[in-house]
Amino acid sequence: MYGALEGGGTKMVLAAMDENGNTAERISIPTETPDKTMPEMISFFRKHDIRALGIGNFGPLDLNERSETYGSITATPKLAWRNYPLLQTFRDALRVPVGIDTDVNAAALAEARLGAAKGAESCVYVTVGTGIGGGIIIGGKPVHGLMHPEVGHALVAPLAGDPLPDGSCPYHKHCLEGMASGPAIEAKWGISAKELPRDHPAWVYETEYLAQMCVSITMFCSPEKIILGGGVMQQAFLFDGIRKRTSELLGGYISPLGGSLDDYIVPPGLGVHSGITGAWLLAMQA
């Protein structure tokens, strides 16, 4: 068995999977404080006698393997987890190899190997939900550098009439997460994105900001696929609007795309399983 952990801000998804990706058991537990959540997770993986663990976790993370704090969560707004040595704690407790990356890089890896970007050398996976995060695959591998991609904190131009033009991010004015995440939508309109009708003006703003994001990703990374997942993107009608507006903003400049972006901006091929599948792949690599 291999252990897989998709660590999110509200819940932790844990799975025990064999070398073929078959799941023996999968559970979800709330993301509470480390002293409550970690023992439960360690117990689950011990029960399955895993030979390696893969972690795709919310960030920011220290992913510099030369760093003394490699595998630690860093400046997260979840204060109980700030500077928590996640990888080292699992290594010490389980005594098995542990691989770690951001939750979105793990999802991007899964989509590149097994999902919507299978066969492509490059893709970007963006989750739009409680937060906004992006994972980038270039040459078949996740991108790391100074730290890891922070797509959600790239800046966007506010659309006229936005009721919260500076956004809701505590770090930056009008960054993508502060303008287009689920909590940002609710902060602007006083209602959850899940409850907004299709004809609500909120979706005009959401389409604009996510299209701006897709243009920036295209210009900066030139990926073969942009994959949009997460809770907000369960509103499948958004895809047509995002593709149309992205095409308008590109203005015909990226000639390989032609007129239609139907095969360029796409939903995850693995559905809601991208993250946990990516964590399993990290375990196999470890």
Side-chain angles (χ1 to χ4, degrees), residues 172-217:
H172 316 108
K173 288 184 177 181
H174 47 82
C175 76
L176 190 61
E177 184 168 291
M179 301 295 279
S181 67
I185 294 171
E186 187 165 359
K188 291 178 191 186
W189 307 101
I191 185 171
S192 167
K194 296 177 182 178
E195 300 173 15
L196 287 172
R198 184 168 175 168
D199 60 353
H200 194 282
W203 301 122
V204 174
Y205 294 89
E206 191 70 7
T207 295
E208 174 66 24
Y209 299 138
L210 294 180
Q212 288 186 35
M213 174 194 73
C214 288
V215 170
S216 295
I217 287 171

Short mmCIF file of all heavy atoms in Angstrom, two decimals, residues 172-217:
data_model
loop_
_atom_site.label_atom_id
_atom_site.label_comp_id
_atom_site.label_asym_id
_atom_site.label_seq_id
_atom_site.Cartn_x
_atom_site.Cartn_y
_atom_site.Cartn_z
N HIS A 172 -2.76 41.45 -0.54
CA HIS A 172 -2.65 42.27 -1.76
C HIS A 172 -4.00 42.84 -2.15
O HIS A 172 -5.03 42.20 -1.99
CB HIS A 172 -2.18 41.41 -2.96
CG HIS A 172 -1.07 40.48 -2.64
ND1 HIS A 172 -1.24 39.11 -2.54
CD2 HIS A 172 0.24 40.71 -2.38
CE1 HIS A 172 -0.10 38.54 -2.24
NE2 HIS A 172 0.81 39.48 -2.14
N LYS A 173 -3.99 44.04 -2.75
CA LYS A 173 -5.18 44.58 -3.38
C LYS A 173 -5.35 43.95 -4.75
O LYS A 173 -4.39 43.75 -5.48
CB LYS A 173 -5.08 46.11 -3.52
CG LYS A 173 -5.20 46.87 -2.21
CD LYS A 173 -5.19 48.36 -2.46
CE LYS A 173 -5.40 49.14 -1.16
NZ LYS A 173 -5.42 50.60 -1.40
N HIS A 174 -6.58 43.69 -5.10
CA HIS A 174 -7.03 43.09 -6.35
C HIS A 174 -6.11 41.99 -6.90
O HIS A 174 -5.69 42.01 -8.06
CB HIS A 174 -7.37 44.13 -7.43
CG HIS A 174 -6.38 45.24 -7.64
ND1 HIS A 174 -5.26 45.09 -8.42
CD2 HIS A 174 -6.36 46.51 -7.20
CE1 HIS A 174 -4.59 46.23 -8.45
NE2 HIS A 174 -5.24 47.10 -7.72
N CYS A 175 -5.78 41.03 -6.04
CA CYS A 175 -5.16 39.81 -6.54
C CYS A 175 -6.27 38.82 -6.88
O CYS A 175 -7.42 38.97 -6.46
CB CYS A 175 -4.17 39.20 -5.54
SG CYS A 175 -4.93 38.35 -4.15
N LEU A 176 -5.93 37.82 -7.66
CA LEU A 176 -6.92 36.90 -8.19
C LEU A 176 -7.74 36.23 -7.07
O LEU A 176 -8.96 36.16 -7.15
CB LEU A 176 -6.21 35.85 -9.05
CG LEU A 176 -7.08 34.92 -9.87
CD1 LEU A 176 -7.91 35.70 -10.88
CD2 LEU A 176 -6.19 33.91 -10.58
N GLU A 177 -7.06 35.74 -6.04
CA GLU A 177 -7.77 35.07 -4.96
C GLU A 177 -8.73 36.02 -4.25
O GLU A 177 -9.86 35.65 -3.89
CB GLU A 177 -6.77 34.48 -3.96
CG GLU A 177 -7.42 33.67 -2.85
CD GLU A 177 -6.42 32.87 -2.05
OE1 GLU A 177 -5.87 31.90 -2.61
OE2 GLU A 177 -6.17 33.21 -0.88
N GLY A 178 -8.30 37.26 -4.05
CA GLY A 178 -9.14 38.23 -3.38
C GLY A 178 -10.29 38.72 -4.22
O GLY A 178 -11.25 39.30 -3.70
N MET A 179 -10.22 38.49 -5.53
CA MET A 179 -11.26 38.96 -6.43
C MET A 179 -12.19 37.86 -6.92
O MET A 179 -13.34 38.13 -7.27
CB MET A 179 -10.61 39.62 -7.67
CG MET A 179 -9.71 40.80 -7.36
SD MET A 179 -10.59 42.20 -6.66
CE MET A 179 -11.27 42.94 -8.13
N ALA A 180 -11.71 36.58 -6.96
CA ALA A 180 -12.48 35.56 -7.67
C ALA A 180 -12.64 34.24 -6.93
O ALA A 180 -13.26 33.32 -7.47
CB ALA A 180 -11.84 35.31 -9.04
N SER A 181 -12.10 34.11 -5.73
CA SER A 181 -12.29 32.87 -4.97
C SER A 181 -13.72 32.79 -4.45
O SER A 181 -14.48 33.77 -4.48
CB SER A 181 -11.31 32.81 -3.80
OG SER A 181 -11.61 33.83 -2.86
N GLY A 182 -14.09 31.63 -3.94
CA GLY A 182 -15.42 31.46 -3.37
C GLY A 182 -15.72 32.47 -2.27
O GLY A 182 -16.76 33.15 -2.30
N PRO A 183 -14.82 32.63 -1.27
CA PRO A 183 -15.07 33.63 -0.22
C PRO A 183 -15.14 35.06 -0.76
O PRO A 183 -15.88 35.88 -0.23
CB PRO A 183 -13.87 33.45 0.71
CG PRO A 183 -13.47 32.03 0.54
CD PRO A 183 -13.70 31.75 -0.93
N ALA A 184 -14.36 35.36 -1.81
CA ALA A 184 -14.42 36.70 -2.41
C ALA A 184 -15.78 36.95 -3.04
O ALA A 184 -16.35 38.05 -2.91
CB ALA A 184 -13.31 36.86 -3.45
N ILE A 185 -16.31 35.95 -3.72
CA ILE A 185 -17.65 36.08 -4.31
C ILE A 185 -18.68 36.35 -3.22
O ILE A 185 -19.53 37.24 -3.34
CB ILE A 185 -18.01 34.81 -5.10
CG1 ILE A 185 -17.09 34.66 -6.32
CG2 ILE A 185 -19.47 34.84 -5.56
CD1 ILE A 185 -17.22 33.32 -7.03
N GLU A 186 -18.60 35.59 -2.15
CA GLU A 186 -19.56 35.76 -1.06
C GLU A 186 -19.41 37.12 -0.38
O GLU A 186 -20.39 37.75 0.00
CB GLU A 186 -19.42 34.63 -0.05
CG GLU A 186 -20.49 34.64 1.02
CD GLU A 186 -20.57 33.35 1.81
OE1 GLU A 186 -19.79 32.41 1.53
OE2 GLU A 186 -21.40 33.28 2.73
N ALA A 187 -18.15 37.59 -0.24
CA ALA A 187 -17.91 38.89 0.38
C ALA A 187 -18.51 40.02 -0.45
O ALA A 187 -19.00 41.02 0.09
CB ALA A 187 -16.41 39.11 0.56
N LYS A 188 -18.50 39.87 -1.77
CA LYS A 188 -19.03 40.91 -2.65
C LYS A 188 -20.55 40.94 -2.68
O LYS A 188 -21.17 42.01 -2.68
CB LYS A 188 -18.54 40.68 -4.09
CG LYS A 188 -17.07 40.90 -4.31
CD LYS A 188 -16.72 40.59 -5.77
CE LYS A 188 -15.24 40.55 -5.95
NZ LYS A 188 -14.85 40.40 -7.36
N TRP A 189 -21.15 39.77 -2.72
CA TRP A 189 -22.57 39.68 -3.03
C TRP A 189 -23.43 39.22 -1.85
O TRP A 189 -24.65 39.21 -1.95
CB TRP A 189 -22.79 38.76 -4.23
CG TRP A 189 -21.95 39.16 -5.40
CD1 TRP A 189 -20.79 38.59 -5.82
CD2 TRP A 189 -22.18 40.25 -6.31
NE1 TRP A 189 -20.28 39.24 -6.93
CE2 TRP A 189 -21.13 40.26 -7.25
CE3 TRP A 189 -23.20 41.22 -6.42
CZ2 TRP A 189 -21.04 41.20 -8.27
CZ3 TRP A 189 -23.11 42.14 -7.45
CH2 TRP A 189 -22.05 42.13 -8.36
N GLY A 190 -22.77 38.81 -0.76
CA GLY A 190 -23.52 38.41 0.43
C GLY A 190 -24.21 37.07 0.30
O GLY A 190 -25.14 36.77 1.06
N ILE A 191 -23.77 36.25 -0.65
CA ILE A 191 -24.39 34.95 -0.86
C ILE A 191 -23.32 33.99 -1.39
O ILE A 191 -22.43 34.40 -2.14
CB ILE A 191 -25.59 35.06 -1.84
CG1 ILE A 191 -26.32 33.72 -1.97
CG2 ILE A 191 -25.15 35.57 -3.20
CD1 ILE A 191 -27.63 33.83 -2.74
N SER A 192 -23.41 32.74 -1.00
CA SER A 192 -22.44 31.75 -1.43
C SER A 192 -22.52 31.54 -2.94
O SER A 192 -23.60 31.61 -3.54
CB SER A 192 -22.71 30.43 -0.72
OG SER A 192 -22.01 29.37 -1.32
N ALA A 193 -21.37 31.27 -3.54
CA ALA A 193 -21.33 31.00 -4.98
C ALA A 193 -22.23 29.83 -5.36
O ALA A 193 -22.82 29.81 -6.44
CB ALA A 193 -19.89 30.71 -5.42
N LYS A 194 -22.37 28.87 -4.45
CA LYS A 194 -23.21 27.70 -4.72
C LYS A 194 -24.68 28.07 -4.89
O LYS A 194 -25.44 27.37 -5.53
CB LYS A 194 -23.08 26.69 -3.58
CG LYS A 194 -21.69 26.09 -3.43
CD LYS A 194 -21.66 25.15 -2.22
CE LYS A 194 -20.27 24.58 -2.01
NZ LYS A 194 -20.21 23.71 -0.81
N GLU A 195 -25.07 29.20 -4.28
CA GLU A 195 -26.48 29.59 -4.28
C GLU A 195 -26.80 30.67 -5.31
O GLU A 195 -27.97 31.04 -5.47
CB GLU A 195 -26.86 30.08 -2.88
CG GLU A 195 -26.69 29.02 -1.80
CD GLU A 195 -26.91 29.57 -0.40
OE1 GLU A 195 -27.46 30.68 -0.28
OE2 GLU A 195 -26.51 28.89 0.57
N LEU A 196 -25.79 31.17 -6.00
CA LEU A 196 -26.04 32.23 -6.97
C LEU A 196 -26.70 31.68 -8.23
O LEU A 196 -26.24 30.69 -8.79
CB LEU A 196 -24.71 32.90 -7.36
CG LEU A 196 -24.06 33.81 -6.33
CD1 LEU A 196 -22.68 34.22 -6.81
CD2 LEU A 196 -24.92 35.04 -6.08
N PRO A 197 -27.78 32.32 -8.70
CA PRO A 197 -28.38 31.87 -9.96
C PRO A 197 -27.46 32.15 -11.14
O PRO A 197 -26.58 33.01 -11.07
CB PRO A 197 -29.67 32.70 -10.05
CG PRO A 197 -29.41 33.90 -9.21
CD PRO A 197 -28.50 33.46 -8.11
N ARG A 198 -27.71 31.43 -12.20
CA ARG A 198 -26.83 31.53 -13.38
C ARG A 198 -26.83 32.93 -13.98
O ARG A 198 -25.83 33.35 -14.58
CB ARG A 198 -27.29 30.50 -14.42
CG ARG A 198 -26.42 30.43 -15.64
CD ARG A 198 -26.74 29.20 -16.47
NE ARG A 198 -25.99 29.17 -17.71
CZ ARG A 198 -25.90 28.12 -18.50
NH1 ARG A 198 -26.54 27.00 -18.18
NH2 ARG A 198 -25.20 28.16 -19.62
N ASP A 199 -27.93 33.67 -13.85
CA ASP A 199 -28.00 35.00 -14.46
C ASP A 199 -27.54 36.11 -13.51
O ASP A 199 -27.71 37.30 -13.80
CB ASP A 199 -29.42 35.29 -14.96
CG ASP A 199 -30.46 35.24 -13.82
OD1 ASP A 199 -30.11 34.87 -12.68
OD2 ASP A 199 -31.64 35.57 -14.09
N HIS A 200 -26.94 35.77 -12.38
CA HIS A 200 -26.48 36.78 -11.43
C HIS A 200 -25.27 37.52 -12.01
O HIS A 200 -24.41 36.92 -12.65
CB HIS A 200 -26.10 36.11 -10.10
CG HIS A 200 -25.94 37.07 -8.98
ND1 HIS A 200 -24.83 37.86 -8.80
CD2 HIS A 200 -26.79 37.38 -7.94
CE1 HIS A 200 -24.98 38.61 -7.72
NE2 HIS A 200 -26.16 38.34 -7.17
N PRO A 201 -25.16 38.83 -11.78
CA PRO A 201 -24.03 39.60 -12.33
C PRO A 201 -22.68 39.15 -11.79
O PRO A 201 -21.63 39.45 -12.39
CB PRO A 201 -24.33 41.05 -11.93
CG PRO A 201 -25.37 40.96 -10.85
CD PRO A 201 -26.16 39.73 -11.13
N ALA A 202 -22.66 38.42 -10.68
CA ALA A 202 -21.39 37.94 -10.13
C ALA A 202 -20.59 37.16 -11.17
O ALA A 202 -19.35 37.23 -11.21
CB ALA A 202 -21.66 37.05 -8.91
N TRP A 203 -21.29 36.42 -12.02
CA TRP A 203 -20.59 35.56 -12.98
C TRP A 203 -19.92 36.35 -14.09
O TRP A 203 -18.96 35.87 -14.70
CB TRP A 203 -21.55 34.52 -13.54
CG TRP A 203 -22.16 33.66 -12.48
CD1 TRP A 203 -23.48 33.49 -12.20
CD2 TRP A 203 -21.45 32.85 -11.51
NE1 TRP A 203 -23.66 32.63 -11.13
CE2 TRP A 203 -22.43 32.22 -10.70
CE3 TRP A 203 -20.10 32.60 -11.27
CZ2 TRP A 203 -22.07 31.37 -9.65
CZ3 TRP A 203 -19.76 31.75 -10.23
CH2 TRP A 203 -20.74 31.14 -9.43
N VAL A 204 -20.40 37.57 -14.36
CA VAL A 204 -19.73 38.43 -15.34
C VAL A 204 -18.34 38.79 -14.83
O VAL A 204 -17.34 38.72 -15.57
CB VAL A 204 -20.55 39.72 -15.60
CG1 VAL A 204 -19.79 40.68 -16.50
CG2 VAL A 204 -21.92 39.37 -16.18
N TYR A 205 -18.26 39.13 -13.55
CA TYR A 205 -16.98 39.50 -12.94
C TYR A 205 -16.06 38.28 -12.83
O TYR A 205 -14.86 38.35 -13.10
CB TYR A 205 -17.21 40.13 -11.56
CG TYR A 205 -17.92 41.46 -11.66
CD1 TYR A 205 -19.32 41.54 -11.65
CD2 TYR A 205 -17.21 42.64 -11.81
CE1 TYR A 205 -19.97 42.75 -11.77
CE2 TYR A 205 -17.85 43.87 -11.92
CZ TYR A 205 -19.24 43.91 -11.91
OH TYR A 205 -19.88 45.12 -12.04
N GLU A 206 -16.64 37.16 -12.44
CA GLU A 206 -15.85 35.93 -12.30
C GLU A 206 -15.25 35.54 -13.65
O GLU A 206 -14.06 35.19 -13.74
CB GLU A 206 -16.75 34.81 -11.77
CG GLU A 206 -15.99 33.56 -11.34
CD GLU A 206 -15.17 33.74 -10.08
OE1 GLU A 206 -15.28 34.80 -9.44
OE2 GLU A 206 -14.42 32.83 -9.74
N THR A 207 -16.05 35.61 -14.69
CA THR A 207 -15.57 35.28 -16.03
C THR A 207 -14.42 36.19 -16.44
O THR A 207 -13.41 35.75 -16.98
CB THR A 207 -16.72 35.38 -17.05
OG1 THR A 207 -17.70 34.38 -16.73
CG2 THR A 207 -16.24 35.18 -18.46
N GLU A 208 -14.57 37.48 -16.17
CA GLU A 208 -13.53 38.45 -16.53
C GLU A 208 -12.21 38.14 -15.84
O GLU A 208 -11.15 38.10 -16.48
CB GLU A 208 -13.99 39.86 -16.18
CG GLU A 208 -12.94 40.94 -16.38
CD GLU A 208 -12.55 41.15 -17.85
OE1 GLU A 208 -13.36 40.82 -18.74
OE2 GLU A 208 -11.44 41.66 -18.09
N TYR A 209 -12.26 37.91 -14.52
CA TYR A 209 -11.02 37.72 -13.78
C TYR A 209 -10.35 36.40 -14.14
O TYR A 209 -9.12 36.32 -14.24
CB TYR A 209 -11.28 37.83 -12.28
CG TYR A 209 -11.82 39.19 -11.88
CD1 TYR A 209 -12.85 39.32 -10.95
CD2 TYR A 209 -11.32 40.35 -12.46
CE1 TYR A 209 -13.35 40.55 -10.60
CE2 TYR A 209 -11.82 41.60 -12.13
CZ TYR A 209 -12.84 41.69 -11.20
OH TYR A 209 -13.34 42.93 -10.86
N LEU A 210 -11.13 35.36 -14.33
CA LEU A 210 -10.53 34.08 -14.70
C LEU A 210 -10.00 34.11 -16.13
O LEU A 210 -8.99 33.46 -16.44
CB LEU A 210 -11.53 32.95 -14.50
CG LEU A 210 -11.93 32.71 -13.04
CD1 LEU A 210 -12.94 31.57 -12.94
CD2 LEU A 210 -10.72 32.43 -12.15
N ALA A 211 -10.63 34.88 -17.00
CA ALA A 211 -10.10 35.05 -18.36
C ALA A 211 -8.78 35.83 -18.32
O ALA A 211 -7.82 35.48 -19.03
CB ALA A 211 -11.12 35.77 -19.24
N GLN A 212 -8.72 36.89 -17.52
CA GLN A 212 -7.45 37.61 -17.37
C GLN A 212 -6.36 36.66 -16.89
O GLN A 212 -5.21 36.71 -17.36
CB GLN A 212 -7.61 38.76 -16.38
CG GLN A 212 -8.41 39.94 -16.88
CD GLN A 212 -8.40 41.10 -15.91
OE1 GLN A 212 -7.40 41.35 -15.24
NE2 GLN A 212 -9.52 41.82 -15.81
N MET A 213 -6.70 35.79 -15.95
CA MET A 213 -5.75 34.80 -15.46
C MET A 213 -5.27 33.89 -16.59
O MET A 213 -4.06 33.63 -16.73
CB MET A 213 -6.39 33.97 -14.36
CG MET A 213 -5.54 32.81 -13.87
SD MET A 213 -6.48 31.63 -12.88
CE MET A 213 -7.45 30.82 -14.18
N CYS A 214 -6.20 33.41 -17.40
CA CYS A 214 -5.84 32.50 -18.49
C CYS A 214 -4.93 33.18 -19.50
O CYS A 214 -4.02 32.55 -20.05
CB CYS A 214 -7.10 31.96 -19.17
SG CYS A 214 -8.02 30.76 -18.18
N VAL A 215 -5.17 34.45 -19.76
CA VAL A 215 -4.29 35.20 -20.67
C VAL A 215 -2.88 35.29 -20.09
O VAL A 215 -1.88 35.04 -20.78
CB VAL A 215 -4.86 36.60 -20.95
CG1 VAL A 215 -3.84 37.46 -21.70
CG2 VAL A 215 -6.15 36.50 -21.76
N SER A 216 -2.78 35.64 -18.81
CA SER A 216 -1.46 35.75 -18.17
C SER A 216 -0.74 34.42 -18.18
O SER A 216 0.47 34.35 -18.49
CB SER A 216 -1.62 36.25 -16.73
OG SER A 216 -2.14 37.56 -16.70
N ILE A 217 -1.46 33.33 -17.86
CA ILE A 217 -0.85 32.00 -17.87
C ILE A 217 -0.34 31.67 -19.27
O ILE A 217 0.78 31.16 -19.44
CB ILE A 217 -1.86 30.95 -17.39
CG1 ILE A 217 -2.07 31.07 -15.88
CG2 ILE A 217 -1.41 29.54 -17.77
CD1 ILE A 217 -3.21 30.21 -15.36
#
